[in-house]
Amino acid sequence: MNRACIGITCGTFYDHDWCPPSIGHRKTYIDAVVAAGGAPFLLPSIDDDAALRALYERIDGVLLAGGGDIEPRHYGEQPLPALGVVDVLRDRTELPLVRWAAADGKPVLGICRGAQMVNVALGGTLYQDIPSQLETKLNHSDSYARQDWTYLAHTLRLAPDSRLHRMLGSDELSINSLHHQSIKTVAPGLMAVGWAPDGVIEAIESANGHFLIGVQCHPEALQSTTDPRWQTLFRRFVEACVRFRDRTAE
Ligand code: MN
């Protein structure tokens, strides 16, 4: 069978200050897509709508990957002093991808920053800096602080009637946590379906049946060994992309 082409958005990585930056992403995203039966297709951050649209037309689904903070002006706020590093070109690339996919019903999976981006692109807002804006005993950067992507930092409670609950088959899972921002108000058309023990929203879904899911944790780092239940999320995503492609084939 012809594999679904899964577009994966990229980060910008700086190695030496005398070298141009690299655009790409961590191997775990690519591995998770291949293991789920998809064909990964890296989508670079670019400042050209026509080129971006041409890439978008060639993919069957969008995987918004993790990364740094999102510019708060995209949800109508001024930056707080504790705002982290932003990637202007990446924001500029991902915002239209989400909006096009939402308009077309093309499947979307947002991971960490990707879940936040889905929410912002569709009209939601974020906490710019969890430690200064939320009263919580949890360290949502704990897996990062421990330098272990598979460190299970806290639990994720899932809404019983959610698509994620059906996929993962559990009310509660232990997850990794490597995020500085989080969802504040949920965008129109989306629903919060997962929460950390302190009430931080850690999973969202479309309310209209569109395969549009965002998770605040990093399942791509857990799915191969730490918690294989996450493989189902990637498989269902790739299957939804195949169905979308076949439905919209000329
Ligand atoms: Mn967390």
Side-chain angles (χ1 to χ4, degrees), residues 171-221:
D171 295 333
E172 200 171 273
L173 295 92
S174 291
I175 56 169
N176 48 6
S177 194
L178 301 90
H179 58 112
H180 168 236
Q181 305 198 304
S182 70
I183 291 167
K184 184 161 65 181
T185 56
V186 177
L190 301 182
M191 309 178 294
V193 297
W195 301 267
D198 57 5
V200 166
I201 295 170
E202 298 237 357
I204 49 172
E205 293 180 4
S206 168
N208 72 3
H210 174 203
F211 192 110
L212 185 147
I213 294 177
V215 291
Q216 186 58 72
C217 65
H218 280 278
E220 83 286 358

Side-chain angles (χ1 to χ4, degrees), residues 65-113:
D69 288 356
I70 295 170
E71 267 214 359
R73 69 179 170 87
H74 296 305
Y75 48 91
E77 288 188 12
Q78 294 297 313
L80 296 177
L83 181 72
V85 175
V86 297
D87 183 339
V88 174
L89 191 57
R90 184 172 180 188
D91 289 353
R92 186 247 178 278
T93 302
E94 291 181 331
L95 287 164
L97 287 173
V98 175
R99 291 169 184 156
W100 291 337
D104 295 344
K106 193 173 275 195
V108 174
L109 176 59
I111 292 179
C112 196
R113 168 197 159 91

Side-chain angles (χ1 to χ4, degrees), residues 1-6 31-40 234-235 238 242:
M1 193 194 68
N2 206 351
R3 288 190 162 212
C5 215
I6 311 299
D31 292 345
V33 166
V34 172
F234 290 99
R235 280 203 303 270
V238 170
V242 170

